[in-house]
Amino acid sequence: MNIDTLHGGDSGAANERIAILGAGASGLALGWLLSQAGKQVTVFEAAPRIGGLARTFDWRGIPCDIAPHRLHTSDLEVLSAVQALVPLREHRRVSRILMRDKQIQDPINPIELMLRFPPRTAFALVWGFLNRPKLPETSFESLALNRYGRGLYDFFFEPYTKKMFGVPPAEISVTWGREKLRSSGLLDVLKRQSKTFFSTFWYPERGGYQAILDAMQAQIRGEVLLGAPVTGLELGDGRITAVHYRRDGAAQRFDCDRVFSTLPATVLGRMLGAELKLRFKRIQLVYLDIAKPEVMPYQWVYFGDGDVVINRMAEFKHFHPHLPPCDHSVLCAEVTMDSDHAEADVIAALTRYGLIRREDILDSLVLEEGCGYPVYDRGFEAARDQAQALFGRYANLHCVGRNAEFRHIETDEDIASAADCLRRIYGTETVRLPA
Ligand SMILES: Cc1cc2nc3c(=O)[nH]c(=O)nc-3n(C[C@H](O)[C@H](O)[C@H](O)COP(=O)(O)OP(=O)(O)OC[C@H]3O[C@@H](n4cnc5c(N)ncnc54)[C@H](O)[C@@H]3O)c2cc1C
C-alpha cells in the first residue's frame, strides 16, 4: 500500500514551489525525476550529508555502507535508469548462514541440513515438512508453519524473526511474511527463484552504494539544503502552505505549493499533530577493522542462532574488487536485538565462530539508526490506514519511500514509488525514467 494522498486532477502550476523533505534515496530520486521533468525543487536534509540509510562513508580507507547494500531488482525500468546514472558491476552473490557453529548454504537448502545436522534435527525437518499444517494464516508464525513445517520453523524462522523484530513470530503480521517470503515453499527455496533469493546483484563500479545517490543529486535542478532539519509545517485550507526549518541556528520558512515527504511516517504524523502507533526497529551497526587481508570469503553472512546478537555481517572489501590490496579488512555487523553493549556482544559472537581474534581488532565504530526496519506487528495495518487518512487530508502532500510509506522496501522500490507518485500527479508523458 502506498501512502499517497493525491487523488488526481492537480497537476500543478509550471513554476510551482516544490519542497522535498529528506535527502535519502527517495528524496533524491524524487528530486532527480522532477528535474528530468523540468521542475525546480528544494530538498531539506537534517543531516550534514545526503544518503540517509543508503549512505556511504570512508572509514579506515574502505568505503562502508549501512550494512550491505545491494541493488537486486526485478524492475527492469528501474535497473536501466540506475545503469544510465552510474556504472554498475554485476556481482555473483556469495553468502552463507551460520547456525549451530556451522556454515551452511544461503538460502537454506533442506537437503544440506539433513546431511550436515544430527539425525534428530534432520528427521524433525523432513517430518515437519511432510506434515505441514493447514493453519488459518493469521500471523507470520502460521504462514511459515504452513509453508515450511515445524522443523524448519523451529530451526531458523522462529529464532531469526524474533531476533530481528524483538517479538515472537506469532506477533508479526502475516503481511510481512507474504512480502518477505516471496516463494511459495521449499521448492522455490531450492530453485533459488524470487526477489529474496537473488543469485547476483548490482553495485556501483566505483565508490560505495551512495554513488547512485550522488549521481541523482548531481542532476537535481534546484537546491539540496544540508543541515536543514524540518521543524514543522504550516497548514491552511487542506494544504501545506509552508515548511519550517532551521539553518545555521536560525528558524527559516519556505512557502510551497507541493510537499513530498520521505521522513518516517511517525515524524510527519507528529508535525501534523498525531501520535501514530507505528513502530520502527532500531538497528545498531558495529564496524570492526581487522588486521587480516580477508576475514571470510563471503560478501555477507546471516547468523541464525537466537543467542547470537548479530543478524547479518558484511565484509566490504568483497564489494570493491578495484581497491588496491591492503592488509586489513572492515566488517559491519547488524544488531537489532536490544543490547547496551553491542560491540562486546558482536566481538564475542565472532570469536565464538572463529572468524576473528580479539588481538586482530585494529579499530571499531558503532552507529545507530532509530528507524532501521518498519515493524509489521499484528494490527499495524490499522495504524498505517490511520496514517494514510491523516496525510490524505492535505491535497498537496505526498509520502514516498520505505519509512514514509511504512513499507519494508529497498531502494529499487523507493525509486519505483517515486516514479509512480510523480506519474499520478504529472502524467506518464511528463515523468520518465531515463533508459
Ligand atoms: C540494514 C539495512 C540494509 C538494507 N539493505 C538494502 C539493500 O541491500 N539494498 C537496497 O536497495 N536497500 C537496502 N536497504 C533499504 C534502503 O536503505 C532504504 O530503502 C532507503 O535507503 C530508504 O531511503 P529513504 O530516502 O526512503 O529514507 P531514508 O534513507 O531514511 O532518508 C530519509 C532522510 O530524511 C532525513 N530526515 C529525517 N528527519 C528529518 C527532518 N526533520 N528534516 C529533514 N530531514 C530529515 C534523514 O536524515 C534521511 O537522510 C537497507 C536498509 C537497512 C536499514
Side-chain angles (χ1 to χ4, degrees):
M1 180 178 61
N2 191 340
I3 304 179
D4 191 293
T5 60
L6 195 96
H7 304 296
D10 179 3
S11 59
N15 57 350
E16 57 180 348
R17 286 169 63 84
I18 300 175
I20 298 175
L21 316 188
S26 305
L28 294 169
L30 285 161
W32 161 56
L33 295 174
L34 282 161
S35 301
Q36 300 271 320
K39 308 272 177 189
Q40 290 269 345
V41 301
T42 303
V43 185
F44 299 87
E45 169 55 55
R49 35 102 193 116
I50 64 156
L53 293 169
R55 69 185 182 277
T56 303
F57 57 97
D58 191 76
W59 187 63
R60 309 276 304 171
I62 294 178
C64 298
D65 297 327
I66 299 299
H69 262 73
R70 306 100 350 134
L71 182 67
H72 52 95
T73 184
S74 45
D75 188 330
L76 297 182
E77 198 193 7
V78 168
L79 178 61
S80 54
V82 178
Q83 280 170 326
L85 268 178
V86 67
L88 298 176
R89 176 190 289 257
E90 190 169 21
H91 292 252
R92 193 172 60 83
R93 171 181 178 161
V94 190
S95 58
R96 286 290 180 279
I97 299 171
L98 305 190
M99 280 209 77
R100 308 207 184 158
D101 301 320
K102 291 191 195 331
Q103 299 187 2
I104 59 176
Q105 282 182 33
D106 171 34
I108 278 183
N109 179 339
I111 295 168
E112 182 195 18
L113 299 186
M114 283 183 259
L115 295 175
R116 293 195 52 201
F117 285 90
R120 244 177 89 185
T121 310
F123 177 77
L125 297 174
V126 178
W127 182 257
F129 182 66
L130 294 176
N131 294 285
R132 278 167 295 159
K134 285 201 177 89
L135 302 168
E137 292 188 351
T138 53
S139 68
F140 176 69
E141 179 182 62
S142 44
L143 178 91
L145 282 169
N146 285 353
R147 286 193 189 175
Y148 299 104
R150 169 63 65 187
L152 255 178
Y153 174 80
D154 287 347
F155 185 79
F156 181 73
F157 290 104
E158 200 268 344
Y160 193 81
T161 311
K162 194 167 166 191
K163 177 157 73 172
M164 185 148 168
F165 292 117
V167 288
E171 300 296 317
I172 297 290
S173 164
V174 70
T175 308
W176 185 76
R178 291 200 176 120
E179 285 179 11
K180 288 291 148 188
L181 293 180
R182 288 179 213 188
S183 62
S184 54
L186 273 186
L187 272 183
D188 284 352
V189 175
L190 285 169
K191 286 192 233 153
R192 289 154 158 71
Q193 57 182 16
S194 81
K195 177 168 162 51
T196 318
F197 302 134
F198 58 96
S199 56
T200 63
F201 64 90
W202 298 91
Y203 193 84
E205 190 77 56
R206 288 280 183 277
Y209 201 78
Q210 188 182 309
I212 299 171
L213 282 62
D214 290 336
M216 290 177 182
Q217 185 191 3
Q219 298 199 15
I220 288 180
R221 289 166 43 137
E223 281 188 296
V224 178
L225 303 178
L226 302 179
V230 174
T231 52
L233 299 171
E234 230 171 272
L235 315 173
D237 200 19
R239 298 180 76 79
I240 313 285
T241 53
V243 171
H244 291 194
Y245 65 103
R246 293 194 71 76
R247 197 93 200 280
D248 301 326
Q252 311 269 355
R253 183 173 175 281
F254 176 86
D255 283 317
C256 61
D257 301 306
R258 195 178 292 288
V259 176
F260 293 93
S261 175
T262 71
L263 311 188
T266 45
V267 174
L268 181 66
R270 245 169 262 133
M271 288 182 191
L272 298 173
E275 218 34 74
L276 298 171
K277 291 202 178 67
L278 293 170
R279 206 160 61 80
F280 290 95
K281 191 73 188 146
R282 171 181 85 133
I283 178 165
Q284 296 187 79
L285 301 137
V286 179
Y287 296 82
L288 298 173
D289 188 25
I290 305 296
K292 272 170 134 184
E294 177 182 282
V295 174
M296 55 186 191
Y298 315 121
Q299 291 136 348
W300 65 89
V301 288
Y302 295 96
F303 288 78
D305 297 299
D307 62 342
V308 171
V309 291
I310 308 170
N311 300 8
R312 181 172 56 171
M313 186 179 72
E315 183 166 4
F316 291 119
K317 263 191 174 175
H318 300 307
F319 295 77
H320 304 289
H322 63 280
L323 280 184
C326 66
D327 56 2
H328 65 114
S329 189
V330 172
L331 304 173
C332 170
E334 294 165 56
V335 176
T336 50
M337 255 185 179
D338 289 328
S339 165
D340 294 331
H341 25 74
E343 181 178 330
D345 292 344
V346 164
I347 293 170
L350 297 184
T351 46
R352 162 178 156 184
Y353 272 95
L355 285 168
I356 62 165
R357 297 180 311 166
R358 283 171 198 275
E359 55 272 34
D360 291 337
I361 303 172
L362 299 172
D363 202 352
S364 65
L365 171 74
V366 182
L367 299 184
E368 187 179 318
E369 288 293 337
C371 296
Y373 293 95
V375 180
Y376 285 20
D377 38 23
R378 282 173 78 177
F380 88 98
E381 288 95 339
R384 196 161 70 173
D385 288 350
Q386 193 200 348
Q388 188 173 27
L390 171 68
F391 303 150
R393 286 188 208 149
Y394 305 94
N396 62 341
L397 171 66
H398 318 280
C399 298
V400 173
R402 175 178 171 113
N403 291 340
E405 297 175 46
F406 202 82
R407 286 200 293 149
H408 192 163
I409 55 176
E410 304 206 319
T411 50
D412 57 317
E413 292 154 301
D414 294 320
I415 295 170
S417 179
D420 285 350
C421 173
L422 296 177
R423 282 170 178 159
R424 280 196 296 276
I425 301 170
Y426 302 106
T428 45
E429 284 308 304
T430 312
V431 180
R432 291 169 184 275
L433 279 172

